[in-house]
Amino acid sequence: LVSLCHHGRPVVGIIDQCVLRERWVGREGAPTTLNGRETTAGSRRELESALAYTTTPDMFKPGYEAAAFASLRGRVKRVLYGCDCYAYALLSSGFGVDLVCEADLMPYDYLALVPVLKGAGATITDWTGQPLTLRSATVKGRVLASANAPLHAKALAVLQRPPPAAYLPSFPGLALATA
C-alpha cells in the first residue's frame, strides 16, 4: 500500500499485489485502474444479497464493536474472512466483494484505499460516515467500505444502531434506560 496525502487528505493510492502482478491505482478526480484498465465497483444495493469481508472476527473488541459487527453479519448474505487489503482491491473491481468492515486499522492501513475505492465509484468512511484522512480523530480504526453509496448507507445504519443492553458495560448503581 502506498498513499500520497495533501493537507492530510489521501489523493493518490496504490494497492500492489505483486505476487499476482496486479496493481490498482487511484487518483483524486480520475478513474481507478487495475494494470492500466479502468475498474468499477459492484452495483449490488441490498444488504441481504451482499458479500462482506473482514480480516478476522477477532479484530472487533468485545462490546460495541463486536455487537455492531454481529448485527451487520446477520444482515448480509455471507461474511468471508482474510484478504486484508486485497478485499478492498477486489471491491474496487466488482470482483465479488460488496462490503469490507474492519475495526483496528491505522492510517497506514486505510489511506491508500480511499482514492482507489472512490475512483471506482465505491464509498469508504469510518463507522460514523466521516471521511478518512490522516487526521481522522473519530476513526478508532473502524472502517467501512461499500461498493456504492446506497449499500453504504444501509450498512452504516446497521453499524450505528445501538447494541442490545447485554453488550454494554455495567456500572454498579447505574441503571440503563431501555426503549
Side-chain angles (χ1 to χ4, degrees):
L1 295 175
V2 178
S3 179
L4 172 67
C5 292
H6 181 68
H7 297 290
R9 192 173 38 81
V11 294
V12 175
I14 299 171
I15 303 172
D16 190 71
Q17 179 56 281
C18 59
V19 173
L20 299 175
R21 297 180 186 206
E22 296 174 331
R23 178 176 292 158
W24 287 262
V25 177
R27 293 176 295 128
E28 188 175 82
T32 293
T33 59
L34 166 58
N35 295 340
R37 294 187 179 144
E38 289 185 17
T39 64
T40 304
S43 60
R44 193 168 287 135
R45 296 177 186 270
E46 299 304 322
L47 284 174
E48 294 72 21
S49 60
L51 297 179
Y53 272 78
T54 192
T55 300
T56 174
D58 296 332
M59 71 173 28
F60 302 97
K61 293 179 190 132
Y64 168 73
E65 286 181 0
F69 179 70
S71 294
L72 183 62
R73 186 180 57 221
R75 294 287 309 276
V76 299
K77 180 177 182 178
R78 182 172 299 119
V79 174
L80 301 160
Y81 300 98
C83 275
D84 295 311
C85 70
Y86 194 56
Y88 296 90
L90 294 174
L91 188 152
S92 76
S93 297
F95 293 153
V97 178
D98 303 302
L99 295 166
V100 182
C101 182
E102 313 234 64
D104 69 350
L105 301 185
M106 299 298 290
Y108 53 77
D109 293 314
Y110 61 75
L111 288 173
L113 308 173
V114 173
V116 171
L117 291 168
K118 285 185 171 183
T123 303
I124 182 168
T125 66
D126 70 10
W127 285 16
T128 68
Q130 295 301 305
L132 299 172
T133 70
L134 192 56
R135 297 180 188 95
S136 294
T138 61
V139 171
K140 298 181 183 178
R142 299 174 185 152
V143 173
L144 177 67
S146 307
N148 53 67
L151 184 63
H152 197 78
K154 291 172 185 175
L156 275 178
V158 172
L159 290 173
Q160 292 172 355
R161 199 168 291 132
Y167 290 104
L168 297 174
S170 61
F171 299 97
L174 178 64
L176 294 175
T178 58

